[in-house]
Amino acid sequence: MAAVAVHQFAQCITCHAWSPDHSMVAFCPNNNEVHIYKLVNDKWEKVHVLQKHDQIVSGIDWSGKSNRIVSVSHDRNSYVWNREGPEWVPTLVILRLNRAALCVRWSPKENKFAVGSGAKTVCVCYYEQENNWWVSKVIRKKHDSSVTSVAWHPNNILLATTSTDGKCRVFSTFIKGVDTRESKTGSSSDPKFGEQIVQLDLSSSWAFGVKWSPSGNTLAYVGHNSMIYFVDDIGPSPLAQNVAFRNLPLRDVEKMVIGVGFDCNPMVFAADKSGLWSFIRFLGERKESLSGPKSGSQFSEAFGKLYAQAKHGLSNDTVEPSKIQGAVHDNCINCIALLNKKGSQTKRFSTSGMDGKVVIWDLGNQQDLKEYL
C-alpha cells in the first residue's frame, strides 16, 4: 500500500505544512491555534503552540529556505512567524481585508506570499524592512466570489487562483523594488501588477485547488463537479483538457497529478506520450460497500445510516468498520503537501483531513506508477 505512516494528531485538521527538513509538522486542529510537533525518538511530541489568531486558522505554509511560517485565519489576519531561539515570534501582516482569509502560499523565492480571501481579492505581501512588517498589494475587482486557492508559477511572478465563481485565473504580481526585471515573463510588454493574463471558464461549479507543473508549462485545477482540468500554453490561446470521474469531488491537487478531496482517497492522474491526461487509480484501498454498486442500494444504505443516527444518537463522524475496509482517511482530505528533499528521488507527500490524521504516502514503492514518475 502507498501509505507508509499514519498519525492521529487531532479530531480534525484544517491544514498542515512541514519544516524544511521534515522533522516538524505544523497544523491547525480546527481552532485558532497552530500546533507544531517534532519527531523525537520515533515519537511525535508537541513542542510549540502558536497563539495569535482569534478564529479558525485556514491556511499555513512553511518556507523551505528561510524557515518562516505564514498563517492566515478567518479573523482576517495573517502573521509571519520567525524562529528566535526557542520561541516563534509573530510579525504583523497588513492585509486590509473585510472578509476571512482562506489560503496562503509562499512564492518560490520566498520574498512574497499570496493570500486568497472571502473578500473576492488576493493580497500579495512583501516585507518592509524600515517598518518591520509585511505589507500587501491587492488584486481587486477580478473575482466574483471567494478565492479558494493560489499557486505560484516557478518564475515567481505569475500567480494562479481559483474561486467559487467557477473560474481559474492567472495574474502578474510584479512588484517594483521586490522583483527583478530578469524574473519577469520575458515578453517585450511585460504585464503590470494585477494584470490578468488569462481567465479559464471551464468549470460549471466551484473551483478549488490549483497547481503548476515544475516546468510551469501546465496548470491543473479541480472543480466541485467531480472534474479535473489541465491547461497547457497559458496565454491568449490555451489548450485545455478535462477528466471526469464518477467519485466525489476533489479539494486539492499536487504535482504528478495527485488529487485529494471528499472521497477520502488520493487519486492519481497522468498524461500519456501524446499528452492526453486520464485517471490512473486510487492510491489507498478503495472503500467497499456491502450492498454493491447499485444506486438503489446506495440510497438505502444512506437512508439507513441517517435513520441509525436519529435513533441511536450517532454523530456524523461515526464510521462503521465494515464500510472502510483498509481505507486510510475516514473523512474529507483537505490538504496535501510534498515531502521531497533536495537531491532525493523519493516521491513522497502527505495529506491531512477532517478525520484529524496526517498520512505520509510513498509513490516510489508503487511499481505500476514508476513509468509516470
Side-chain angles (χ1 to χ4, degrees):
M1 192 173 182
V4 296
V6 181
H7 307 288
Q8 184 76 51
F9 286 116
Q11 289 185 343
C12 178
I13 293 177
T14 56
C15 51
H16 78 281
W18 293 88
S19 63
D21 61 358
H22 305 151
S23 64
M24 293 187 287
V25 61
F27 63 86
C28 169
N30 201 36
N31 59 18
N32 63 333
E33 299 175 343
V34 176
H35 292 190
I36 300 179
Y37 278 70
K38 185 175 183 179
L39 188 60
V40 179
N41 296 326
D42 295 328
K43 292 184 179 180
W44 289 98
E45 296 181 1
K46 186 191 296 184
V47 291
H48 299 285
V49 177
L50 309 185
Q51 297 175 312
K52 197 68 176 178
H53 291 288
D54 297 325
Q55 296 183 28
I56 289 179
V57 176
S58 50
I60 304 171
D61 201 14
W62 200 324
S63 61
K65 302 174 184 176
S66 55
N67 195 35
R68 293 180 295 204
I69 298 174
V70 59
S71 61
V72 297
S73 166
H74 289 179
D75 62 9
R76 302 171 294 170
N77 292 321
S78 174
Y79 295 95
V80 174
W81 304 82
N82 295 276
R83 185 73 179 269
E84 296 183 5
E87 302 296 328
W88 287 92
V89 179
T91 303
L92 180 65
V93 181
I94 310 298
L95 288 182
R96 297 174 291 174
L97 291 177
N98 60 5
R99 294 292 187 275
L102 301 178
C103 53
V104 63
R105 281 291 180 268
W106 285 105
S107 67
K109 293 185 177 180
E110 300 178 7
N111 59 345
K112 302 181 292 185
F113 60 88
V115 178
S117 75
K120 309 177 187 178
T121 60
V122 178
C123 302
V124 180
C125 307
Y126 60 96
Y127 186 66
E128 278 194 352
Q129 184 72 40
E130 56 272 19
N131 295 317
N132 189 32
W133 61 24
W134 291 76
V135 298
S136 64
K137 295 191 70 173
V138 184
I139 301 176
R140 304 180 186 273
K141 300 180 180 179
K142 302 293 185 179
H143 300 87
D144 298 322
S145 191
S146 299
V147 179
T148 57
S149 182
V150 294
W152 288 94
H153 189 277
N155 67 9
N156 206 68
I157 300 299
L158 298 182
L159 180 73
T161 68
T162 53
S163 171
T164 48
D165 62 11
K167 298 176 177 62
C168 178
R169 299 172 175 89
V170 178
F171 299 96
S172 168
T173 66
F174 182 84
I175 299 176
K176 187 177 181 180
V178 177
D179 298 300
T180 58
R181 191 167 297 276
E182 289 76 14
S183 66
K184 296 179 77 174
T185 53
S187 63
S188 57
S189 57
D190 289 315
K192 298 179 180 179
F193 177 87
E195 183 174 334
Q196 183 172 290
I197 307 301
V198 67
Q199 175 177 295
L200 303 169
D201 193 7
L202 304 177
S203 177
S204 59
S205 62
W206 298 343
F208 286 107
V210 59
K211 288 292 188 302
W212 293 91
S213 64
S215 64
N217 296 328
T218 303
L219 184 68
Y221 70 100
V222 297
H224 204 60
N225 55 352
S226 294
M227 296 186 73
I228 183 168
Y229 306 91
F230 302 94
V231 185
D232 296 309
D233 299 334
I234 299 297
S237 302
L239 302 176
Q241 300 179 44
N242 63 72
V243 178
F245 45 93
R246 298 172 54 190
N247 306 90
L248 296 178
L250 300 176
R251 280 295 306 272
D252 203 358
V253 291
E254 194 45 85
K255 299 157 189 172
M256 186 194 166
V257 168
I258 307 295
V260 296
F262 292 95
D263 209 54
C264 316
N265 205 342
M267 302 173 70
V268 180
F269 299 86
D272 59 20
K273 295 180 181 180
S274 65
L276 183 64
W277 287 85
S278 61
F279 169 64
I280 305 301
R281 68 173 177 88
F282 286 93
L283 272 185
E285 292 185 30
R286 192 70 186 96
K287 290 183 292 183
E288 297 292 341
S289 172
L290 297 178
S291 57
K294 295 182 181 179
S295 59
S297 299
Q298 291 177 348
F299 175 80
S300 301
E301 180 184 344
F303 182 81
K305 184 177 181 180
L306 290 174
Y307 178 78
Q309 291 172 359
K311 183 176 181 179
H312 302 291
L314 298 177
S315 69
N316 289 332
D317 295 329
T318 302
V319 179
E320 300 177 35
S322 61
K323 302 299 181 186
I324 58 176
Q325 293 190 0
V328 180
H329 278 288
D330 303 322
N331 209 327
C332 171
I333 304 174
N334 53 21
C335 187
I336 182 172
L338 279 178
L339 281 173
N340 286 352
K341 294 183 179 180
K342 290 184 178 180
S344 173
Q345 297 300 318
T346 303
K347 302 296 182 180
R348 290 193 171 196
F349 66 94
S350 63
T351 57
S352 64
M354 304 301 289
D355 57 1
K357 295 178 182 178
V358 174
V359 180
I360 299 175
W361 305 80
D362 189 355
L363 300 178
N365 59 12
Q366 303 297 294
Q367 297 296 328
D368 61 322
L369 297 180
K370 287 188 175 181
E371 63 177 297
Y372 302 109
L373 298 177

